């Protein structure tokens, strides 16, 4: 069946060429310059890559979903020692294509195959041997260039390499990237002077090549740079490729000097391959297509102009795609595309005159054998013709689609990983709690010899009838080795079917080290970097220290002496302690933007296994502990001796210390879930206020409605507040005197005598003792260390959730 389908396609192509008399008989009869030269089994090979997402469209007053392909049947090869630049207009799918090659698209969502030296690879293996430089420079501003490179060397190079060798490699990298003069300059940011934009970009590249990866992916490395800086960056990347690495990068309209540094270019438009080959072959390619480059025009810029012209015409991009893929030259009508006619109102199920006019402008050759793929796949959203045929487009109807071994395999292995999960927090929580699996891939598997070609973008040329009425796909009986990308027919391997079962899949060794360093060394290196950042960014903790010191002085001057044994002092003590706990909790809100700024650095570094998420969580806690201890002791010491509190200063300090640890863990967890610090502040303030309301100060636990009482026990403010009261009033047999009216209004409410008061005959004439305060507040656990232990348990739980979010849901991966 596969051979029959291929013969049908060949006959349609031959008939197309026969009908184009000007091509056969004219001077354009010479074959076009090949757009790409491939060497099977070498370098990075990719074939039939297709990727789609779901879109919503309003049709006939109702919102319906349809499938839009961001990548459509892209095949090619990138060789070692060369730079392949991925180009195209905005929205062409450049970054999506780069993510597909780098294994940054979730398993089961991408169709096609990616091979290295002729062997399929897994996502884990791809991440291990490659590096990915993001478009935005995510760096720590208060580290120098040398320190940034040294940290990268410490986490990416194994401990078997000595520190002297690591320093030597860092110095060689500084020399290679031309950063010797800026080696001891801070990276800087918007508020601090640092290195220049071009130097920042080179630093971003350097930290990802310190371990000499086999593949290097760069997303817009010249974005935002002037021409000189952009050329310098690409020149350094060229030097890296000469060392034997495969370099792929996206770039937007490179200058002529940069074009001379490129070995191959891949030009995309709406996710479709328009050209692949050497930049110097573009003029011959366009001449063979019938659009020679005018004198004085830049070849790549003119190619982009031609793409835009066809994209905005009635024929679409099909002539360019078919010429690049099969060498099919368009007829004279298609060479002069006609712009699309403006939209006109139409009634359902009736074509408009504009739509008929658009269809009539298609060449006879294209209507006879090759139906425009843009009508079947969602590329021209604004075309009336596509809207008419939308009912026949590729939609995700799993129930109507025949099950195949590959589709069933994809639906079984579908880990709950999400890219930017915080953009849809409610869905994330629902799926995370209920373990709802994500949608199964809607597309059919890539073609395999012996199977009927599926209705996918990779199926090649199709007739209009087969596009509207797809036939059921035949399935293969043999088991397929699961790889990171769905296996498809390799155009360079004729004996693919026979060797598929025995084909070796490159993967990370099951029992080998996934990370370069052991866990303890990662913790030590991360702690060193975090400590440097904290010391050089004093506003992180110095601001909190100043706030707590100033507020301790203000509170002490307001409450003055709290050592008296009267009813008024009881109310003052209750108000002071609740405010002290709330001050500690609210003062920790400044940690929200801190981690949000580091989150993207964490994602970049861990996306290629630089270190473990657990190492990051533990190291940050270790560095913060001394600062929490200092802050807690400062507030406790000032208020204890200024207000003459009758409590243990050590216990007071430990309660505040534990509160700072727990609230910091909670704030870090919220920061990992929210998309911005504004949202983070809102969530932290709202939940802290809820904890404040249900801690037992305003409403005692017994007074809270039964269906809301659980909030009383999860309130992180409840436990330090109770511990402070136990520290002040436990085993206190001192008789308190005063007018009972001084207790109201106040949080104490109805006075309940404690067992100590009732069982001691010497206190019968005493109205109230300190132990009665605990009984009246509903505090039954009179060992403050129980409260401290529960409080720290909440902190551990928050840290554990924080780790889970970082480990499983903070993935820079497309769905």
């Amino acid at each position: 069946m596969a051979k029959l389908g291929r013969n049908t396609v060949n006959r349609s192509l031959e008939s197309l060429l026969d009908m184009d008399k000007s091509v056969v008989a004219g001077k354009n009869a010479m074959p076009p310059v090949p757009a790409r030269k491939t060497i099977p089994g070498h370098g990075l090979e990719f074939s039939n890559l297709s990727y789609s997402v779901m879109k919503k469209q309003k049709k006939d007053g109702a919102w319906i979903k349809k499938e839009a392909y961001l990548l459509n049947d892209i095949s090619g090869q990138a060789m070692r020692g060369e730079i392949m630049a991925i180009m195209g207009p905005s929205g062409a799918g450049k970054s999506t294509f780069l993510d597909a090659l780098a294994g940054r698209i979730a398993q089961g969502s991408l169709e096609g195959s990616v091979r290295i030296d002729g062997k399929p690879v897994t996502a884990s293996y791809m991440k291990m041997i490659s590096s990915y430089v993001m478009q935005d420079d995510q760096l720590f501003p208060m580290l120098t260039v040398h320190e940034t490179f040294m940290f990268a060397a410490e986490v990416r190079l194994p401990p078997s390499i000595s520190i002297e060798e690591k320093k030597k490699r860092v110095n060689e990298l500084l020399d290679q990237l031309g950063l010797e003069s800026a080696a001891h300059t801070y990276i800087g940011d918007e508020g601090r002077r640092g290195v220049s934009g071009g130097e920042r970009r080179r630093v971003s590249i350097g930290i990802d090549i310190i371990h000499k990866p086999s593949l290097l992916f760069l997303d817009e490395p010249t974005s935002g740079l002037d021409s000189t800086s952009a050329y310098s960056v690409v020149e350094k990347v060229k030097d890296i490729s000469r060392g034997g690495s495969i370099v792929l990068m996206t770039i937007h309209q490179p200058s002529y000097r940069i074009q001379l540094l490129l070995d191959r270019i891949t030009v995309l438009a709406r996710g479709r391959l328009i050209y692949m080959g050497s930049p110097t072959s573009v003029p011959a390619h366009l001449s063979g297509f019938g659009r020679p480059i005018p004198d004085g025009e830049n070849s790549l810029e003119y190619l982009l102009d031609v793409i835009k012209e066809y994209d905005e015409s009635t024929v679409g991009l099909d002539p360019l795609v078919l010429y690049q893929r099969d060498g099919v030259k368009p007829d004279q009508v298609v060479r002069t595309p006609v712009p699309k006619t403006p939209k006109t109102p139409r009634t359902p199920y009736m074509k408009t005159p504009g739509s008929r006019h658009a269809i009539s402008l298609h060449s006879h050759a294209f209507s006879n054998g090759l139906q425009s793929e843009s009508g079947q796949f969602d590329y021209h959203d604004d075309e009336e013709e596509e809207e008419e045929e939308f009912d026949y487009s590729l939609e995700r109807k799993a129930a109507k689609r025949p099950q195949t071994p590959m589709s069933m395999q994809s639906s079984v292995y579908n880990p709950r990983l999400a890219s930017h999960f915080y953009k849809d927090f409610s869905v994330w929580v629902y799926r995370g709690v209920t373990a709802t699996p994500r949608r199964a891939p809607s597309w059919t598997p890539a073609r395999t010899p012996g199977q009927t070609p599926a209705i996918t973008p990779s199926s090649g040329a199709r007739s209009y009838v087969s596009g509207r009425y797809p036939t059921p796909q035949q399935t293969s009986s043999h088991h397929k080795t699961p790889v990171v990308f769905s296996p498809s027919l390799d155009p360079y391997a004729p004996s693919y079917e026979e060797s598929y079962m025995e084909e070796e899949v490159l993967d990370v060794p099951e029992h080998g080290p996934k990370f370069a360093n052991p866990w303890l060394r990662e913790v030590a290196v991360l702690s060193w970097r975090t400590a440097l950042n904290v010391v050089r960014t004093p506003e992180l903790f110095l601001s909190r220290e100043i706030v707590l010191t100033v507020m301790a002085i203000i509170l002490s001057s307001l409450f003055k002496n709290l050592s008296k044994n009267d009813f008024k002092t009881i109310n003052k003590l209750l108000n002071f302690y609740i405010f002290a706990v709330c001050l500690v909790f609210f003062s920790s809100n400044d940690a929200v933007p801190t981690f949000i700024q580091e989150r993207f650095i964490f994602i970049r570094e861990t996306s290629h296994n630089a270190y473990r998420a657990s190492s990051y969580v533990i190291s940050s806690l270790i560095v913060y502990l001394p600062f929490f201890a200092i802050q807690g002791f400062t507030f406790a010491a000032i208020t204890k001796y200024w207000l003459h509190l009758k409590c243990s200063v050590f216990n007071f300090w430990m309660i505040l210390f534990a509160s700072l640890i727990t609230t910091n863990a909670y704030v870090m967890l919220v920061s990992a879930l929210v998309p911005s610090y504004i949202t983070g502040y809102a969530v932290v303030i709202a939940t802290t206020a809820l904890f404040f309301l249900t801690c037992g100060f305003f409403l005692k636990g017994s007074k809270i409605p039964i269906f809301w009482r659980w909030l009383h026990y999860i309130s992180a403010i409840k436990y330090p507040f109770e511990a402070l009261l136990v520290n002040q009033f436990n085993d206190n047999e001192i008789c308190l005197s005063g007018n009972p009216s001084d207790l109201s209004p106040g949080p104490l409410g109805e006075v309940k005598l404690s067992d100590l008061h009732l069982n001691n005959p010497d206190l019968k004439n005493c109205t109230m003792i300190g132990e009665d305060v605990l009984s009246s507040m509903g505090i039954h656990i009179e060992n403050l260390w129980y409260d401290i232990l529960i409080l720290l348990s909440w902190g551990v739980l928050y840290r554990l959730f924080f780790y889970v979010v970082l480990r499983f849901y903070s993935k820079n991966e497309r769905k």
Side-chain angles (χ1 to χ4, degrees):
M1 294 295 293
K3 294 181 179 180
L4 179 61
R6 173 59 63 184
N7 293 335
T8 304
V9 172
N10 291 338
R11 284 197 299 270
S12 64
L13 295 178
E14 292 170 0
S15 62
L16 175 62
L17 292 174
D18 291 339
M19 285 183 291
D20 193 352
K21 303 300 182 181
S22 60
V23 175
V24 176
K27 60 182 180 180
N28 293 331
M30 61 169 45
V33 177
R36 52 179 174 175
K37 295 180 180 179
T38 57
I39 305 177
H42 292 78
L44 178 67
E45 300 172 88
F46 45 93
S47 60
N48 306 118
L49 292 184
S50 296
Y51 172 63
S52 69
V53 296
M54 295 301 297
K55 291 182 60 177
K56 285 186 177 181
Q57 185 184 35
K58 196 170 186 179
K59 181 179 180 183
D60 297 335
W63 287 97
I64 53 179
K65 291 183 178 180
K66 64 177 180 178
E67 193 171 32
Y69 276 86
L70 304 184
L71 297 178
N72 184 355
D73 192 22
I74 300 178
S75 302
Q77 186 180 36
M79 300 297 296
R80 299 187 184 276
E82 295 183 352
I83 296 181
M84 173 179 281
I86 304 169
M87 299 178 55
S90 299
K94 301 185 293 294
S95 297
T96 305
F97 179 51
L98 196 69
D99 289 344
L101 296 178
R104 293 158 70 93
I105 294 180
Q107 180 169 356
S109 298
L110 182 71
E111 178 192 355
S113 65
V114 175
R115 298 165 178 267
I116 296 179
D117 295 332
K119 299 178 181 179
V121 297
T122 63
S124 301
Y125 184 81
M126 179 66 76
K127 292 178 180 179
M128 184 181 69
I129 65 170
S130 66
S131 288
Y132 192 104
V133 181
M134 298 181 181
Q135 183 173 351
D136 298 325
D137 300 320
Q138 303 293 343
L139 304 169
F140 285 99
M142 295 311 296
L143 294 181
T144 65
V145 174
H146 185 272
E147 290 170 345
T148 303
F149 282 172
M150 277 303 302
F151 169 77
E154 291 286 354
V155 297
R156 290 186 178 273
L157 299 180
S160 58
I161 300 179
S162 64
I163 186 65
E164 290 76 14
E165 293 176 348
K166 292 178 181 178
K167 289 181 178 179
K168 180 180 178 181
R169 182 170 295 188
V170 167
N171 293 329
E172 291 175 352
L173 188 61
L174 290 171
D175 178 67
Q176 181 182 6
L177 297 176
L179 295 170
E180 306 96 325
S181 60
H184 300 289
T185 304
Y186 290 129
I187 299 297
D189 56 12
E190 296 81 1
R192 306 175 182 89
R193 294 291 298 272
V195 297
S196 65
E199 290 171 335
R200 284 175 60 91
R201 192 58 50 87
R202 279 178 274 165
V203 172
S204 297
I205 296 173
I207 59 180
D208 283 314
I209 65 172
I210 189 72
H211 59 302
K212 298 180 179 179
S214 300
L215 285 90
L216 179 61
F217 301 96
L218 304 100
D219 189 11
E220 297 281 359
T222 61
S223 176
L225 302 180
D226 59 84
S227 60
T228 303
S229 300
Y231 177 78
S232 176
V233 168
V234 178
E235 188 179 30
K236 303 305 179 184
V237 173
K238 179 68 174 179
D239 294 337
I240 295 171
S241 68
R242 288 175 180 149
S245 299
I246 303 174
V247 179
L248 298 96
M249 67 177 185
T250 60
I251 191 168
H252 189 71
Q253 289 189 336
S255 64
Y256 179 74
R257 292 193 303 166
I258 293 179
Q259 293 179 30
L260 298 178
L261 299 175
L262 306 178
D263 299 293
R264 299 191 183 196
I265 61 172
T266 299
V267 182
L268 304 178
R270 294 189 180 271
R272 310 171 75 183
L273 184 60
I274 303 299
Y275 175 79
M276 180 176 291
S278 172
T280 58
S281 301
V282 173
H285 179 81
L286 288 173
S287 296
F289 182 72
R291 298 294 298 269
I293 302 175
D295 295 337
E297 286 278 353
N298 184 290
S299 58
L300 292 182
E301 292 181 358
Y302 184 72
L303 176 58
L304 295 178
D305 292 339
V306 172
I307 292 173
K308 181 180 179 182
E309 182 181 352
Y310 273 85
D311 187 33
E312 297 177 352
S313 69
T314 57
V315 295
L317 298 173
D318 298 284
L320 293 168
V321 173
L322 290 174
Y323 179 70
Q324 185 280 330
R325 184 181 64 192
D326 302 317
V328 179
K329 298 184 180 181
D331 60 8
Q332 190 62 35
V333 176
V334 178
R335 291 179 190 174
T336 56
V338 179
K340 297 175 185 176
T341 55
K343 283 187 176 183
T344 56
R346 63 181 178 88
T347 57
Y349 317 110
M350 289 292 294
K351 293 184 179 292
T352 61
S355 178
R356 295 192 187 96
H357 177 65
I359 295 176
S360 66
L361 289 176
H362 282 278
S363 66
H364 176 68
F366 278 90
S367 62
N368 187 28
L370 299 172
Q371 173 66 17
S372 173
E373 292 180 359
S374 62
Q376 295 179 357
F377 308 106
D378 177 36
Y379 286 100
H380 304 288
D381 296 337
D382 54 344
E383 288 188 9
E384 297 286 341
E385 184 178 22
E386 192 238 357
E387 293 178 2
E388 283 289 330
E389 302 301 334
F390 172 68
D391 291 337
Y392 306 103
S393 64
L394 289 177
E395 298 182 48
R396 298 191 170 184
K397 299 177 181 178
K400 297 182 180 181
R401 181 166 297 171
Q403 292 293 327
T404 62
M406 183 61 65
S407 63
M408 290 186 289
Q409 172 188 338
S410 300
S411 62
V412 171
Y413 180 73
N414 196 4
R416 288 188 290 111
L417 302 180
S419 144
H420 303 293
F421 63 94
Y422 38 80
K423 290 185 177 179
D424 196 353
F425 178 67
S426 60
V427 176
W428 174 81
V429 171
Y430 174 77
R431 289 176 177 172
V433 173
T434 62
T436 304
R438 289 209 317 268
R439 56 172 174 80
S442 67
W443 43 79
T444 53
R447 292 167 294 158
T448 305
Q451 296 181 358
T452 302
I455 308 301
T456 65
S458 60
S459 301
R462 290 163 295 245
S463 66
Y464 178 72
V465 176
S466 63
R468 290 189 56 166
Y469 303 100
T471 58
Q473 181 182 353
Q474 297 178 356
T475 59
S476 177
S477 59
H478 34 255
H479 176 71
K480 299 184 180 181
T481 305
V483 294
V484 63
F485 307 112
S486 302
S488 64
L489 175 60
D490 189 349
Y492 315 116
S495 60
Y496 179 73
E497 185 177 14
E498 290 125 5
S499 63
Y500 185 77
M501 287 295 296
E502 301 175 358
E503 193 172 32
E504 179 186 1
V505 178
L506 299 179
D507 195 1
V508 178
E510 293 183 4
H511 304 289
K514 185 178 180 181
F515 301 90
N517 292 276
W519 184 80
L520 286 177
R521 179 164 183 80
E522 289 180 356
V523 172
V525 174
L526 288 169
S527 300
W528 163 73
R529 184 180 69 172
T530 306
L532 276 181
N533 274 309
V534 171
V535 171
R536 294 177 182 175
T537 315
E539 58 268 22
L540 290 178
F541 285 95
L542 183 60
S543 59
R544 191 184 306 175
E545 175 70 18
I546 294 174
V547 167
L548 291 176
T549 303
V550 172
M551 290 305 299
I553 295 174
I554 294 176
L555 284 175
S556 300
S557 62
L558 287 174
F559 287 97
K560 297 181 181 179
N561 189 359
L562 295 180
S563 62
K564 298 179 182 179
N565 299 321
D566 54 22
F567 291 170
K568 289 184 178 180
T569 303
I570 294 177
N571 267 344
K572 290 182 180 180
L573 282 169
L574 295 175
N575 293 330
F576 166 75
Y577 281 132
I578 190 62
F579 188 85
V581 174
C582 289
L583 176 64
V584 168
F585 272 76
F586 282 106
S587 66
S588 300
N589 290 359
D590 58 359
V592 172
T594 302
F595 174 73
I596 289 180
Q597 293 173 359
E598 293 184 11
R599 178 174 59 196
F600 298 103
I601 301 178
F602 168 83
I603 292 175
R604 174 181 59 80
E605 292 174 340
T606 56
S607 61
H608 290 269
N609 301 332
Y611 51 82
R612 300 167 179 84
S614 58
S615 304
Y616 178 85
V617 174
I618 298 300
S619 63
S620 62
L621 176 62
I622 292 174
V623 173
Y624 293 161
L625 284 178
F627 295 95
F628 294 155
I630 294 173
Q631 292 163 4
F633 183 79
T634 300
F635 187 88
I638 293 175
T639 54
K640 156 69 179 175
Y641 294 105
W642 193 319
L643 296 175
H644 306 287
L645 299 174
K646 296 179 181 180
C647 64
S648 168
V649 65
F650 176 78
N651 292 342
F652 191 10
W653 169 54
M654 288 302 299
I655 295 169
L656 296 181
F657 184 34
S659 300
L660 287 168
I661 294 174
T662 301
T663 185
N664 179 263
Y666 176 71
V667 171
M668 295 284 279
L669 172 61
V670 173
S671 301
L673 294 172
V674 298
S676 65
Y677 71 91
I678 297 177
T679 308
Y681 277 133
V683 173
V684 169
I685 292 174
T687 52
T688 305
L690 189 61
F691 291 162
F692 183 31
L693 178 63
T694 58
C695 70
F697 180 79
F698 296 102
L699 290 173
K700 298 181 179 64
S702 58
K703 301 296 183 181
I704 299 177
I706 187 66
F707 49 86
W708 289 117
R709 196 165 297 173
W710 59 273
L711 289 173
H712 176 67
Y713 296 100
I714 70 170
S715 172
I717 297 180
K718 159 186 162 60
Y719 302 101
F721 177 59
E722 290 183 355
L724 289 174
L725 295 184
V726 171
N727 187 40
Q728 178 71 32
F729 297 109
N730 191 29
D731 295 331
N732 191 337
E733 299 182 5
I734 299 176
C735 186
L736 304 176
S737 60
N739 190 344
S741 62
D742 293 337
L743 296 176
S744 59
L748 200 62
E750 181 183 357
V751 177
K752 296 181 180 179
L753 300 181
S754 61
D755 294 338
L756 178 63
H757 190 178
L758 295 174
N759 298 331
N760 192 340
D762 297 334
L763 301 176
K764 288 183 179 181
N765 296 328
C766 185
T767 306
M768 189 176 182
I769 64 173
E771 189 77 17
D772 296 338
V773 176
L774 301 180
S775 178
S776 301
M777 293 297 294
I779 300 174
H780 305 292
I781 299 178
E782 297 185 358
N783 189 336
L784 63 87
W785 292 104
Y786 288 159
D787 286 313
I788 294 177
L789 182 61
I790 295 174
L791 181 62
L792 290 176
S793 299
W794 278 110
V796 172
L797 186 62
Y798 292 147
R799 286 277 172 180
L800 180 61
F801 287 158
F802 178 55
Y803 163 75
V804 170
V805 172
L806 294 183
R807 174 66 178 83
F808 297 103
Y809 293 96
S810 290
K811 299 291 184 181
N812 196 354
E813 188 177 68
R814 297 175 186 259
K815 295 181 181 180

